[in-house]
Amino acid sequence: MTGPLTVAGKRGIIRRYLDQLPVSAATPIVTLDEGDTPLIFSERLSQETGAEVWLKYEGLNPTGSFKDRGMTMAISKALEEGSKVVVCASTGNTSASAAAYAGRAGMVCAVLIPEGNVALGKLAQALVHGARVLEVKGNFDQALELTKQMADEQPITLVNSVNPFRIEGQKTAAFEVVEALGRAPDLHVMPVGNAGNITAYWKGYREAIDLGWSDSLPAMFGFQADGANPIVTGSPIASPKTIATAIRIGNPASWSGATDAANDSGGRISSVRDKEILEAYRSLAAEGVFVELASAASVAGLRQMAAEKRIPPGATVVCVLTGHGLKDPDWAIAGAPRPLTVEASIGPILEHLDLA
Ligand SMILES: *Cc1c(COP(=O)(O)O)cnc(C)c1O
């Protein structure tokens, strides 16, 4: 193809990083133009920490989270392999992304969830994109086990975090960071749930070295929530608790990926309190960046590192903001002041704005 189509053809992470991904000319590319998200300089966090802080705003992906980077790969490969159906056990961003990309590909997306206690609002995206949502009479582990069985016995592809193509797609975020900064940051800070994403970033940074795009590696710092911190405590947690639902994980699928990234890079896996996550969420929003609670764990973590004097002055730091705040607007409304009712005249309005 020539002309403008060539430019359009560079959209989406698979076309942009074709040579760095396990795809071939035979791979049908299923994309919603994911990736190429902004790396936003944070004046306030830089002043607060004495570092140069950049925010990788992954909430601006097509379905509102970084999951789209992995899903474009997982769905494209599923289609290439002749799958007609994809399945996942998720009520969150994985099912939202899987449903959108499966819809794009003309595939069926099945979402298995445990019966009862799942708020339909959490599934709004999966539902609107046409996923077949099945409530299984059992718990989450049983639902997950059934998805595995389905994938073993039928031409069905499992797109939960165990799908290796998701890590491949997600590593492209590290390429973008390196491209934007001209090198890797000194410190890389991010939330950790199932730990697929920290595994992917670390892979991406290491490949960027091999490709000659960067001549250094960052120290990798991953943050779990205090009530859901199995990697920190060293053993699985049966009932993980945190307000940050996207990282409410008691037994991470990519556990060793996270510990390898931290150990090999001179970083650390640590945890932050819900209260600190909420404070970080509010201060990011005050600076104009609306994120999901789980995403704010990275900035809460950054502050913890600053308090522990772990951030060298002037260091370049990237905080990953994994998902968009509109995913869970209840937290934005909770704790915010109610709108004031005023008379329909300018005097009282200016008074309330402290301008009178
Ligand atoms: C999936 C997700 C996470 C956790 O990522 P892992 O790869 O499971 O560690 C964090 N934040 C958001 C918004 C997510 O969707």
Side-chain angles (χ1 to χ4, degrees):
M1 285 179 216
T2 55
L5 279 178
T6 315
V7 178
K10 290 293 182 197
R11 296 250 184 97
I13 59 117
I14 298 183
R15 290 197 177 92
R16 289 179 62 223
Y17 298 106
L18 204 62
D19 295 339
Q20 286 76 46
L21 292 167
V23 288
S24 72
T27 312
I29 298 174
V30 182
T31 178
L32 287 163
D33 297 357
E34 62 293 319
D36 201 13
T37 55
L39 188 67
I40 304 169
F41 182 69
S42 173
E43 192 75 49
R44 294 188 199 180
L45 287 170
S46 298
Q47 281 191 354
E48 191 183 319
T49 59
E52 192 183 288
V53 181
W54 299 83
L55 307 170
K56 182 65 171 160
Y57 191 21
E58 289 287 279
L60 293 191
N61 277 296
T63 75
S65 84
F66 73 84
K67 299 292 197 298
D68 294 340
R69 294 179 185 274
M71 209 53 75
T72 182
M73 275 298 298
I75 301 289
S76 296
K77 295 303 282 188
L79 196 60
E80 180 180 355
E81 289 158 8
S83 248
K84 300 258 187 297
V85 177
V86 298
V87 64
C88 65
S90 156
T91 57
N93 294 335
T94 294
S95 63
S97 186
Y101 282 80
R104 187 84 171 161
M107 301 170 88
V108 172
C109 174
V111 177
L112 267 55
I113 55 172
E115 188 186 32
N117 61 38
V118 173
L120 274 190
K122 285 257 141 216
L123 283 163
Q125 286 177 288
L127 292 170
V128 82
H129 291 306
R132 311 262 181 92
V133 180
L134 301 172
E135 286 199 57
V136 177
K137 293 183 178 177
N139 60 25
F140 183 81
D141 288 340
Q142 285 170 299
L144 189 63
E145 194 47 45
L146 284 164
T147 62
K148 287 181 186 157
Q149 224 172 305
M150 287 165 69
D152 284 346
E153 294 169 11
Q154 302 284 333
I156 294 177
T157 302
L158 184 57
V159 296
N160 270 88
S161 17
V162 291
N163 183 310
F165 294 117
R166 285 190 41 193
I167 306 252
E168 288 297 315
Q170 286 169 207
K171 78 184 178 188
T172 60
F175 295 163
E176 290 177 14
V177 167
V178 165
E179 219 173 299
L181 296 176
R183 64 182 187 92
D186 300 311
L187 310 177
H188 176 100
V189 184
M190 67 188 297
V192 171
N194 258 313
N197 210 27
I198 192 169
T199 305
Y201 268 98
W202 182 231
K203 187 169 200 282
Y205 282 127
R206 279 175 301 147
E207 288 183 15
I209 294 259
D210 296 339
L211 291 160
W213 296 347
S214 172
D215 52 15
S216 64
L217 289 168
M220 303 286 291
F221 291 85
F223 289 90
Q224 304 190 298
D226 266 3
N229 58 351
I231 302 179
V232 177
T233 61
S235 53
I237 292 176
S239 321
K241 287 184 190 64
T242 168
I243 56 173
T245 51
I247 54 171
R248 191 189 286 159
I249 305 283
N251 193 6
S254 300
W255 189 311
S256 64
T259 47
D260 286 354
N263 295 339
D264 297 352
S265 71
R268 192 173 64 151
I269 307 294
S270 182
S271 64
V272 285
R273 290 184 296 151
D274 277 0
K275 185 171 171 289
E276 294 160 343
I277 291 175
L278 203 51
E279 279 166 11
Y281 167 85
R282 296 229 166 89
S283 64
L284 279 164
E287 200 180 352
V289 184
F290 190 21
V291 302
E292 213 176 314
L293 280 174
S295 310
S298 61
V299 169
L302 175 80
R303 286 180 165 156
Q304 184 187 89
M305 290 166 65
E308 292 173 354
K309 309 245 180 304
R310 283 173 181 270
I311 305 177
T316 305
V317 184
V318 166
C319 286
V320 181
L321 305 177
T322 45
H324 201 289
L326 286 173
K327 293 262 185 189
D328 200 358
D330 289 356
W331 280 104
I333 301 161
R338 306 287 307 266
L340 271 178
T341 306
V342 294
E343 295 301 326
S345 73
I346 192 119
I349 292 174
L350 292 181
E351 208 170 292
H352 281 303
L353 297 174
D354 298 323
L355 293 171

